[in-house]
Amino acid sequence: TNALADDKLLSIPTNGPIPLQARFIVPAANDPGTPTAIERFLIGMSAFRQSLPEGTFSSLAQFLQVPELTIRSPWLNTASSYQQRLGLTDTAYERLPQQILSLVKSGDARFVVYAYGQSLKPADGSIDTSNGNICTNYQVTAEVATRAVIRVEGGAARPRAVIESFNVLPPD
């Protein structure tokens, strides 16, 4: 982000480097007030995606047209005309796409789901009979871990999940 105050920005010599500050993007929190930066980003991306045919990105070029990735990034300071004219460089605008592009791929939507489950039984001496037979502790009797690869077919209006592979993972 361009975190330099306006008065300090004006003191940078012509053609001098504009200092940018790295910022860790935190996940969205449950905030009933103003949407967080990540929420504003996702709302903008979703609105752009909905304007496309079938409501889906068909290429990386379409994805890179999302204004919230660059010129309307919620992590850039565009509050003043000084920031807009002097504080923002191509490096600042292109930082977010540079960081996430290796995670984006065109084509079929696929994701991997890891699931872990346990079967339990009440542990010895864990039933509290003075309080309505409430169990206060359990013992693990079995465990299982699975991995599934799921592909999403169809457009945004009628998506359909297809399980490509499903494996029970061996114990470690």
Side-chain angles (χ1 to χ4, degrees):
T1 188
N2 50 321
L4 205 58
D6 288 354
D7 59 337
K8 294 193 190 269
L9 187 60
L10 291 171
S11 67
I12 294 176
T14 305
N15 294 329
I18 305 296
L20 299 173
Q21 180 183 17
R23 177 177 277 172
F24 180 75
I25 298 174
V26 296
N30 292 332
D31 182 7
T34 306
T36 62
I38 194 81
E39 289 170 320
R40 291 192 318 266
F41 173 76
L42 292 173
I43 289 166
M45 180 168 284
S46 181
F48 185 86
R49 184 178 51 80
Q50 293 302 320
S51 72
L52 298 173
E54 294 188 33
T56 58
F57 294 107
S58 61
S59 67
L60 289 176
Q62 280 183 336
F63 177 75
L64 290 171
Q65 291 176 20
V66 175
E68 283 72 16
L69 282 172
T70 55
I71 60 172
R72 285 204 312 239
S73 170
W75 295 281
L76 295 178
N77 177 5
T78 59
S80 73
S81 61
Y82 294 121
Q83 291 294 334
Q84 293 175 13
R85 270 187 332 189
L86 305 171
L88 293 169
T89 63
D90 285 347
T91 303
Y93 282 124
E94 295 171 3
R95 183 66 173 158
L96 191 56
Q98 178 189 30
Q99 291 293 303
I100 69 169
L101 204 52
S102 67
L103 303 172
V104 178
K105 157 184 137 120
S106 179
D108 291 335
R110 285 185 172 78
F111 55 94
V112 179
V113 176
Y114 288 93
Y116 177 76
Q118 293 180 324
S119 62
L120 308 171
K121 73 174 188 177
D124 292 337
S126 66
I127 304 294
D128 183 1
T129 56
S130 68
N131 198 8
N133 290 337
I134 294 177
C135 183
T136 58
N137 193 12
Y138 291 92
Q139 175 183 351
V140 177
T141 59
E143 297 176 316
V144 66
T146 62
R147 177 184 183 269
V149 177
I150 301 171
R151 177 181 73 245
V152 180
E153 293 180 343
R158 295 195 54 130
R160 184 173 75 103
V162 177
I163 299 173
E164 289 188 347
S165 67
F166 179 84
N167 306 86
V168 176
L169 300 175
D172 286 340

